[in-house]
Amino acid sequence: MPRPSDSLWDIAIAEVQKKENAGNEEDPEAAVHSERSVFFIGNKNGGKTSIILRCLDRDEVSKPTLALEYTFGRRAKGHSTPKDIAHFWELGGGTSLLDLIRIPITSDSLRTFSLVLVLDLSKPDELWPTMENLLQKTRNHVNRVVADVGKANSKLANQIKQNMWQSMPKDHPDRELIDPFPIPLLIIGSKYDIFQDLESEKRKVICKTLRFVSHFYGASLMFTSKSESLKTVTRSYINHLAFGLDRSKSVVVDHNKPLLVPAGSDSLSQIGSPPASSSDLRQFSGSTPMELWKNVYMRYFPPQNARDRKDLKDPAKDPQYAESEVDAMRAQKDQELEQYKRNADKSWKSMVLESHTR
């Protein structure tokens, strides 16, 4: 029975769980299964939906994600055991719908929650702003959720904080120099087939920058494209987050090849300094290594002024969500609004006229 405080997403997840448990009521052991959540964020049209469909073996044509979408996947552990469930969330609109991040990340889901940031490598000028805004907003929200958990259960909150360091070996030389993301993070650079046509120097800058950011946050990093081999590797990483399956342990850091850097396998000494001369580095302002890398990256790829929100289409006018009765009422309300604007404009003009004649 849904609670009054339940959102649409809470009800949808409850329905999935209800269907999964419907046939297992007579077998107590069959009710034992794991559930994990994977949240996809990133550039608009960056390939998030395609990655999810590929991992779920769904041969469908991907459609643009307008807001926040949910789907799920199941995987059996064996012939007689229950199926594990993975909840897949996807945020559309690039950085224009950041407030929706709070919907899937809750105190109930946090312990089994992972984040996948998909960055469009064919748009290097959008890469840093997208990455910075999404990760910052998500991290702030996760920290608030952990703080709320700590008020009720300090032991659980401490456990969540300790889990942040699981991807980093205890003897790693950079443990004191990094700041792990509060939940497991995978950064995927999409459209590598287009990216590889960039100039070698630009590819090197992008690769080194993403390696630094991923290492600093204790995240895994990989590039993908339409190549079947890269699709397979991408799927293994997503299945690792969604179902706990083994993932590829290969390491590729050559900027002339698609990167594949598991969390904890890189180091600041291997990455090196930001791609700038010593004199240039002294001129850049920045109180932290992250700010320094940002300033160097921005010199190579200045961000455009256009914002995602300007390009976001109105969902109410999208034909895939057509509802005749709702659309008719919406049209009527739009007409009433326009009439109100015209009347208000006339009233304002008459007031101004009167003030001038006095």
Side-chain angles (χ1 to χ4, degrees):
M1 184 74 180
R3 296 170 296 183
S5 60
D6 284 349
S7 67
L8 177 62
W9 306 110
D10 295 326
I11 297 173
I13 293 173
E15 284 296 316
V16 172
Q17 295 172 343
K18 181 179 179 181
K19 292 178 181 178
E20 288 297 317
N21 295 330
N24 299 328
E25 296 180 353
E26 297 180 359
D27 184 0
E29 295 185 359
V32 180
H33 61 261
S34 69
E35 292 190 34
R36 304 181 187 217
S37 298
V38 185
F39 189 21
F40 285 76
I41 59 177
N43 291 95
K44 289 190 302 181
N45 303 317
K48 300 183 294 295
T49 304
S50 298
I51 293 174
I52 294 174
L53 293 176
R54 192 180 307 136
C55 292
L56 295 176
D57 290 326
R58 295 182 184 174
D59 187 15
E60 304 174 15
V61 178
S62 59
K63 298 179 180 179
T65 302
L66 295 175
L68 183 66
E69 293 192 2
Y70 166 82
T71 188
F72 68 95
R74 294 170 292 183
R75 181 175 293 274
K77 298 178 181 178
H79 295 293
S80 59
T81 55
K83 294 182 178 180
D84 291 337
I85 301 174
H87 305 287
F88 291 94
W89 299 85
E90 181 186 355
L91 180 68
T95 60
S96 63
L97 300 170
L98 291 175
D99 289 342
L100 296 180
I101 286 175
R102 61 185 174 80
I103 294 177
I105 306 177
T106 65
S107 57
D108 293 329
S109 65
L110 190 60
R111 282 174 292 177
T112 57
F113 207 95
S114 300
L115 186 70
V116 178
L117 173 64
V118 180
L119 299 172
D120 189 340
L121 296 175
S122 69
K123 301 176 181 178
D125 56 313
E126 297 181 11
L127 190 149
W128 190 283
T130 298
M131 175 175 63
E132 182 178 51
N133 290 336
L134 288 171
L135 290 183
Q136 185 177 47
K137 185 73 173 184
T138 304
R139 182 166 205 160
N140 290 342
H141 176 67
V142 171
N143 287 339
R144 285 194 294 269
V145 174
V146 173
D148 291 339
V149 170
K151 295 176 182 178
N153 190 334
S154 59
K155 184 177 180 180
L156 177 57
N158 290 332
Q159 183 62 48
I160 294 174
K161 295 177 181 178
Q162 291 177 9
N163 290 342
M164 293 165 50
W165 293 92
Q166 284 185 344
S167 63
M168 188 61 58
K170 293 183 178 180
D171 59 348
H172 198 288
D174 299 337
R175 279 184 70 90
E176 301 298 324
L177 303 174
I178 65 172
D179 187 14
F181 208 73
I183 55 178
L185 172 63
L186 168 63
I187 298 178
I188 298 179
S190 64
K191 302 184 182 179
Y192 176 77
D193 50 333
I194 301 176
F195 169 79
Q196 63 183 348
D197 293 332
L198 292 177
E199 298 175 8
S200 177
E201 184 62 24
K202 291 184 177 181
R203 284 189 279 112
K204 186 176 181 179
V205 171
I206 294 172
C207 288
K208 288 191 65 172
T209 301
L210 288 179
R211 283 178 61 191
F212 170 79
V213 172
S214 299
H215 182 61
F216 185 81
Y217 286 133
S220 294
L221 170 66
M222 63 174 302
F223 287 175
T224 190
S225 69
K226 298 178 181 179
S227 164
E228 288 301 325
S229 60
L230 292 181
K231 287 180 181 180
T232 300
V233 177
T234 304
R235 182 173 177 175
S236 75
Y237 267 73
I238 301 300
N239 283 336
H240 171 72
L241 297 176
F243 301 105
L245 302 181
D246 293 335
R247 57 170 170 77
S248 173
K249 297 181 180 179
S250 300
V251 179
V252 180
V253 295
D254 185 350
H255 72 276
N256 292 311
K257 300 178 181 179
L259 296 184
L260 180 58
V261 190
S265 63
D266 213 341
S267 68
L268 295 176
S269 61
Q270 292 176 326
I271 297 170
S273 60
S277 65
S278 300
S279 58
D280 287 341
L281 288 176
R282 286 193 293 269
Q283 294 177 3
F284 285 120
S285 61
S287 58
T288 65
M290 184 66 73
E291 290 181 0
L292 179 60
W293 277 87
K294 173 184 177 179
N295 292 332
V296 173
Y297 185 88
M298 292 295 195
R299 186 186 69 171
Y300 282 93
F301 305 103
Q304 296 180 355
N305 294 325
R307 296 181 179 180
D308 286 346
R309 188 180 302 275
K310 292 182 180 180
D311 298 328
L312 186 64
K313 296 180 180 179
D314 185 355
K317 299 178 181 178
D318 194 306
Q320 68 174 316
Y321 301 114
E323 282 287 347
S324 57
E325 295 182 2
V326 175
D327 293 341
M329 181 59 68
R330 172 64 183 265
Q332 178 183 332
K333 294 300 179 182
D334 286 343
Q335 291 177 359
E336 293 176 1
L337 178 60
E338 288 302 319
Q339 184 62 44
Y340 172 80
K341 289 179 179 179
R342 287 193 292 269
N343 293 339
D345 186 51
K346 291 179 182 178
S347 300
W348 174 252
K349 288 180 179 179
S350 63
M351 290 172 61
V352 173
L353 214 63
E354 290 178 6
S355 65
H356 284 304
T357 56
R358 288 176 183 175

